[in-house]
């Protein structure tokens, strides 16, 4: 079974630009969660999608948005990039049958975003 | 607010035993995860504790005390490949979110 894939793996953008990151979950998984990881901060939860609906959202500004398609693939968008958005963005998939990410999550390799 | 504490870094010797602690203060608790993350790689699942007590999986064991808001990950017979960051995360059924600690970087020396 193929794992979680994320594209692109690396991205360099300038302040003010926007970016879209993509995540393809494991086949059969309906839940996709997005996280931001920075040194010393750990994983910060962005949002979770299940069956094309945002089921849960973390405490990030509205510049961070996402969506999920009927094939469970998910995209995350960050508009008006700031220097502080430089981080590793991870997505994780799970079967999602429970009410939230209580299942074991399978993480993708991440997209490393650098904002200059 | 939600708070999860782990030591930032620990050092241990190959073949030894190490215990990585995680304390949490969260509103709503359903269980606690441990993940391993090697440098430059994605986190991988190690364990999920819901009930108090010790769960053993080969060289790795995880313990939970809900009344004390405390968990630990015990690694035995340490190998060089165990050098990684270990993340604990609390699943809160109050808002269906995972709250993550900052991770403990474990360094194994020969």
């Amino acid at each position: 079974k193929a794992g979680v894939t994320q594209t692109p793996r690396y991205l360099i953008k300038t302040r003010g630009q926007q970016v879209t990151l993509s995540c393809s979950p494991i086949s059969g998984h309906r839940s996709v969660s997005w996280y931001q990881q920075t040194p010393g901060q750990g994983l910060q939860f962005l949002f979770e999608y299940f069956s094309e609906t945002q089921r849960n959202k973390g405490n990030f500004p509205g510049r961070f948005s996402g969506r999920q398609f009927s094939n469970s693939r998910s995209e995350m968008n960050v508009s008006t990039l700031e220097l502080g958005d430089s981080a590793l963005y991870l997505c994780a998939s799970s079967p999602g049958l429970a009410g939230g990410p209580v299942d074991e999550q399978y993480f993708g390799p991440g997209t490393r975003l650098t904002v200059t | 607010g939600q708070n999860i504490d782990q030591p930032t870094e620990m050092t241990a010797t190959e073949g030894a035993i190490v215990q990585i602690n995680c304390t949490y203060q969260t509103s709503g608790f359903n269980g606690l995860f441990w993940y391993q993350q090697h440098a430059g790689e994605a986190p991988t699942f190690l364990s999920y504790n819901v009930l108090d007590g010790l769960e053993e999986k080969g060289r790795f064991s995880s313990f939970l005390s809900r009344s004390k808001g405390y968990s630990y990950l015990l690694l035995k017979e340490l190998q060089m490949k165990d050098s990684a960051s270990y993340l604990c995360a609390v699943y809160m059924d109050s808002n269906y979110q995972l709250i993550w600690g900052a991770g403990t970087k474990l360094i194994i020396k020969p």
Side-chain angles (χ1 to χ4, degrees), chain A residues 21-48:
Chain A
L21 312 181
S22 180
C23 172
S24 292
I26 290 173
S27 176
H29 285 189
R30 294 161 66 186
S31 169
V32 174
S33 297
W34 287 91
Y35 296 91
Q36 180 193 69
Q37 187 175 35
T38 53
Q41 287 276 334
L43 288 166
Q44 304 291 315
F45 173 72
L46 282 153
F47 27 66
E48 184 218 358

Side-chain angles (χ1 to χ4, degrees), chain A residues 35 37 40-43 45 56-58 88 90 99-105 107-109, chain B residues 30 33 35 37 40-45 48 87 91 95-103:
Chain A
Y35 296 91
Q37 187 175 35
Q41 287 276 334
L43 288 166
F45 173 72
N56 214 340
K57 188 178 188 304
L88 179 67
L90 292 162
V102 69
D103 303 305
E104 173 186 344
Q105 295 199 301
F107 283 83
Chain B
N30 197 69
F33 286 92
Y35 279 78
Q37 185 177 25
E41 297 183 12
T44 54
F45 171 82
Y48 181 51
L87 315 176
Y91 176 60
N95 62 4
Y96 304 111
Q97 286 197 23
L98 272 175
I99 305 298
W100 295 79

